[in-house]
């Protein structure tokens, strides 16, 4: 072996989809691919989400867990067949019991 390894360069973006309160922190961290949706507008979320996962430049999609749970089964089945992007569903303050956690931290 000559000691030369195979170099693989992958340039993919992170995309964040959710309500403004959910996406703001990611935007402040420098993530540029932010898709804001109106509160409880699941139809628009599903449209934006589908367009995002079909974009080959996107490697990771971060969404609010509430929106992910209400996603139609057809979209979830489509996700099962995809290698990329990776979809990460994060809990928001309400679904994660955030107010209880704040109380514990204050103690």
């Amino acid at each position: 072996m000559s000691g030369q390894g195979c170099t693989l360069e992958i340039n993919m973006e992170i995309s964040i989809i959710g309500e403004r309160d959910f996406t703001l922190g990611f935007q402040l961290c420098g993530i540029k691919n932010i898709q804001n949706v109106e509160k409880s507008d699941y139809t628009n979320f599903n449209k934006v989400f589908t367009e995002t996962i079909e974009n080959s430049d996107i490697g990771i999609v971060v969404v609010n867990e509430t929106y992910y749970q209400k996603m139609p089964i057809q979209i979830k089945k489509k996700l099962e067949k995809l290698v990329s992007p990776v979809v990460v569903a994060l809990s928001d303050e309400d679904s994660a019991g955030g107010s209880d956690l704040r109380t514990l931290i204050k103690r």
Side-chain angles (χ1 to χ4, degrees):
M1 298 196 128
S2 65
Q4 293 180 337
C6 178
T7 303
L8 179 63
E9 186 174 322
I10 300 175
N11 292 318
M12 296 182 122
E13 296 181 35
I14 298 173
S15 181
I16 314 299
I17 307 171
E19 297 171 20
R20 177 96 172 117
D21 291 347
F22 179 77
T23 63
L24 182 60
F26 295 99
Q27 191 171 14
L28 292 172
C29 290
I31 295 176
K32 295 184 182 2
N33 194 326
I34 303 287
Q35 303 288 330
N36 289 313
V37 294
E38 295 297 320
K39 185 174 182 119
S40 301
D41 187 352
Y42 300 108
T43 303
N44 186 44
F45 171 82
N46 293 332
K47 178 180 176 274
V48 170
F49 182 82
T50 301
E51 291 170 358
T52 302
I53 64 171
E54 291 173 351
N55 183 341
S56 61
D57 293 332
I58 305 296
I60 299 172
V61 180
V62 180
V63 299
N64 181 296
E65 185 177 41
T66 303
Y67 284 86
Y68 182 81
Q69 289 174 348
K70 294 188 185 261
M71 193 180 300
I73 193 72
Q74 299 89 340
I75 297 175
K76 288 183 180 180
K77 285 186 177 191
K78 184 175 186 175
L79 279 177
E80 291 175 4
K81 297 175 184 174
L82 296 176
V83 174
S84 177
V86 172
V87 176
V88 179
L90 295 179
S91 297
D92 63 1
E93 199 173 281
D94 296 331
S95 65
S99 58
D100 295 337
L101 182 59
R102 269 195 220 116
T103 304
L104 291 173
I105 291 172
K106 287 180 183 178
R107 291 182 186 175

